[in-house]
Amino acid sequence: MHLVRYLLPGQRPQAGVRTDDTVAPVQGIATMAELLRLSADELRSATDHRADGVPVADVTLLPPLDGRGEVWCAGVTYERSRGARMEESTEQSVYDRVYSAERPELFPKSPAWRLVTDGEQIGIRADSGHDVPEPELAVVANSHGEIVGFTICNDVSSRSIEGENPLYIPQAKVFAGGCALATGIRPAWEVVDPKNLTIDLAIRRDGADVFTGTTSTKQLVRELADLIGVLFAGNEFPDGVILATGTGIVPELDFALRAGDEVAISISEVGTLTNTVAVGREPF
Ligand code: DO4
Ligand code: MG
């Protein structure tokens, strides 16, 4: 089962539940924000009370967040990420220190309205030059700070802009098409062990794989509840929040995304996310 948002022709976006090839609204609920205002127990029982469904082929699936929902990212949570940042950056020590610091790196990535989802284009910046996808397990928390599900985030990033100066991280991380989420949220009660999931990334160019990589969330050095705890320590998320937990797959420095590349991410028990790369607006 996945929590989804979808559009039927001529209607407003609707939150609901996808099972196999059917989507159905949850009774009395219109938006994901409403679902994420429920407690975890209330959400679980709400998903048992569904109205009649329609074939998924008849709807357009939307990014699974709405209203005041936000996506945040954690960074440098895998050894591979620490190594890659130290290689690309002029300021190596900040990455080395944050990897083992008590306080994790967390940064805002996208409001709900700027998200893209499966099958849509992801963007790379025209003023960048060295860009990579970052395939990440994303934790979905309700407004009470409880972990209620998991999805996939592609934290598309500019290595050249961040590498020049870490103070440029907002520009390296936040731009049109820079944040993609899978269409579905797998409920937490259906995922046996989120710290034992396989993450796969494949990048295809002209019909051939030009990069493949795999990792496991076993390699994630932070506890999911701790990351959510720090996020909620200074913030309220009245319509829920999705926190991407960092990348454990970073291509070597000689690889960069190009327009037209297809980026496919899969996470066991969670789902898949596939997007094609487009170059964003011209530099200022
Ligand atoms: O420190 C920069 C960002 C790190 C990041 O996004 C990651 O490790 O996934
Ligand atoms: Mg990342």
Side-chain angles (χ1 to χ4, degrees):
M1 172 202 293
H2 286 85
L3 306 177
V4 293
R5 291 176 62 242
Y6 60 94
L7 199 58
L8 273 162
Q11 296 190 17
R12 285 169 184 248
Q14 174 68 49
V17 169
R18 177 179 182 175
T19 43
D20 300 320
D21 292 331
T22 304
V23 286
V26 174
Q27 277 175 0
I29 298 278
T31 64
M32 189 63 74
E34 288 170 61
L35 285 175
L36 295 180
R37 270 180 236 137
L38 302 174
S39 71
D41 287 344
E42 288 167 342
L43 174 64
R44 187 171 183 169
S45 65
T47 59
D48 289 337
H49 298 95
R50 305 199 282 271
D52 290 341
V54 295
V56 73
D58 293 353
V59 307
T60 303
L61 291 168
L62 304 170
L65 202 59
D66 54 23
R68 294 164 292 174
E70 298 172 42
V71 177
W72 282 60
C73 289
V76 200
T77 52
Y78 288 79
E79 209 174 343
R80 172 65 191 135
S81 181
R82 174 179 63 172
R85 310 289 156 188
M86 290 177 70
E87 219 182 341
E88 81 198 10
S89 184
T90 55
E91 310 295 330
Q92 300 181 336
S93 73
V94 293
Y95 299 98
D96 200 23
R97 291 203 323 268
V98 81
Y99 180 73
S100 47
E102 189 178 348
R103 182 184 291 279
E105 179 196 6
L106 299 180
F107 56 91
K109 177 73 179 174
S110 182
W113 65 265
R114 196 184 276 132
L115 291 167
V116 299
T117 194
D118 193 54
E120 297 182 328
Q121 288 187 326
I122 47 174
I124 54 175
R125 294 183 65 126
D127 58 355
S128 170
H130 192 180
D131 308 276
V132 284
E134 293 191 359
E136 306 188 9
L137 174 70
V139 175
V140 183
N142 63 17
S143 61
H144 312 281
E146 297 173 296
I147 294 176
V148 295
F150 300 97
T151 188
I152 302 173
C153 178
N154 186 347
D155 170 25
V156 186
S157 301
S158 164
R159 293 189 79 173
S160 44
I161 294 175
E162 181 182 341
E164 190 178 338
N165 188 326
L167 292 178
Y168 293 153
I169 278 182
Q171 296 174 74
K173 293 286 191 178
V174 182
F175 45 86
C179 188
L181 292 183
T183 55
I185 295 171
R186 187 88 198 265
W189 60 89
E190 293 189 353
V191 178
V192 179
D193 180 4
K195 290 292 292 284
N196 189 12
L197 302 176
T198 302
I199 302 179
D200 287 300
L201 168 66
I203 304 172
R204 296 188 198 101
R205 185 173 294 159
D206 303 325
D209 282 346
V210 286
F211 177 85
T212 57
T214 189
T215 191
S216 165
T217 54
K218 280 185 195 165
Q219 309 299 321
L220 173 59
V221 294
R222 305 276 180 177
E223 294 309 316
L224 304 179
D226 292 347
L227 292 173
I228 292 293
V230 177
L231 185 59
F232 275 76
N235 288 290
E236 282 178 273
F237 297 99
D239 292 343
V241 62
I242 295 186
L243 176 64
T245 54
T247 187
I249 303 174
V250 185
E252 296 303 325
L253 271 173
D254 60 2
F255 177 87
L257 284 175
R258 288 192 203 154
D261 285 354
E262 184 189 84
V263 179
I265 302 169
S266 66
I267 302 185
S268 55
E269 298 182 51
V270 176
T272 60
L273 171 62
T274 304
N275 303 94
T276 303
V277 176
V279 180
R281 63 176 63 180
E282 286 306 307
F284 51 85

